[in-house]
Amino acid sequence: MALRRRTLPSGFTLPSIHSLHPFFTHQTVPTTLAVQTEHWTRLILSYARHARLFTLGVEDADLKTGPWADILYNPEIARSVKPAHLESLIATLVAQGKAYYDPPKQTRTVLLLWRTLDEWAEVLFTWASDTGQLNTILTFYEIQEPELKSELSGIPTPLLRRAIQALIKSSRAQLIDGTEGGGVRIFASTR
């Protein structure tokens, strides 16, 4: 079978390697496995960013429909990633700092970092600045579900909290504890 790129209805273009049978089989030769893993991690993160997917779980490997089906399953060659292989890819993403287990103390589901925590912190700071909400207390809900859709729309609370922590480290935010999940005050930049 010839290698060919395929564009999904969403506009995402799958790399040509996605049309190869061996790409979906966990490789045993270490150098081949390293290359395969690099291709998979890059594909997972770029697709997650394109589709705005924040979570990936081992159970996604078994689904022929759903948010991850377009990359974990290729109907043209009748191949899919096996759960054990996806679990290995997830572990690699975590080891590389490109994901973290959520909830903690399990190894089957991760929050993906298709942006670094510092990048998310900058997105949050820029959003607060652009919307004129610096130095005001914002609830997590206001950030996650703003009136006007933003890059922060739908961001999971654990990821939002980590982005806030990055702002706190640079003295640009203060976490506000509250009965309804809390909030944050983002300060004007001191740089």
Side-chain angles (χ1 to χ4, degrees):
M1 172 176 232
L3 288 176
R4 68 177 194 83
R5 297 165 60 98
R6 183 168 54 109
T7 301
L8 300 172
S10 69
F12 184 80
T13 300
L14 292 166
S16 56
I17 197 167
H18 194 264
S19 64
L20 283 176
H21 288 94
F23 186 58
F24 290 87
T25 305
H26 184 80
Q27 299 299 307
T28 56
V29 177
T31 54
T32 306
L33 177 60
V35 171
Q36 177 192 41
T37 299
E38 174 58 30
H39 281 288
W40 267 115
T41 56
R42 197 172 333 125
L43 176 58
I44 288 168
L45 292 171
S46 61
Y47 183 74
R49 185 177 192 133
H50 170 82
R52 292 196 47 80
L53 298 173
F54 292 99
T55 61
L56 175 63
V58 173
E59 66 280 351
D60 289 314
D62 289 328
L63 305 176
K64 300 293 187 256
T65 61
W68 288 100
D70 283 339
I71 67 163
L72 299 180
Y73 173 64
N74 185 334
E76 292 181 358
I77 59 172
R79 292 288 180 157
S80 63
V81 174
K82 302 294 181 232
H85 187 189
L86 184 55
E87 190 169 11
S88 171
L89 293 170
I90 285 172
T92 299
L93 286 163
V94 170
Q96 293 175 345
K98 296 175 182 173
Y100 62 91
Y101 293 114
D102 188 67
K105 299 182 182 175
Q106 55 81 41
T107 58
R108 298 186 58 80
T109 305
V110 291
L111 272 174
L112 295 166
L113 295 173
W114 36 270
R115 281 193 169 120
T116 66
L117 292 174
D118 287 337
E119 288 170 340
W120 278 116
E122 288 307 313
V123 168
L124 176 57
F125 180 83
T126 301
W127 173 81
S129 179
D130 290 351
T131 58
Q133 298 185 81
L134 291 176
N135 299 316
T136 61
I137 297 175
L138 298 162
T139 65
F140 290 176
Y141 180 80
E142 289 172 308
I143 296 168
Q144 295 166 306
E145 302 298 330
E147 289 182 26
L148 296 174
K149 201 165 183 75
S150 80
E151 293 182 74
L152 296 163
S153 296
I155 187 172
T157 301
L159 182 54
L160 177 58
R161 283 186 173 277
R162 287 181 182 225
I164 291 168
Q165 289 299 322
L167 284 177
I168 290 170
K169 284 181 185 173
S170 64
S171 301
R172 294 188 291 161
Q174 173 188 16
L175 197 57
I176 310 294
D177 290 324
T179 57
E180 309 241 345
V184 63
R185 178 182 289 133
I186 300 170
F187 305 116
S189 181
T190 57
R191 293 189 223 183

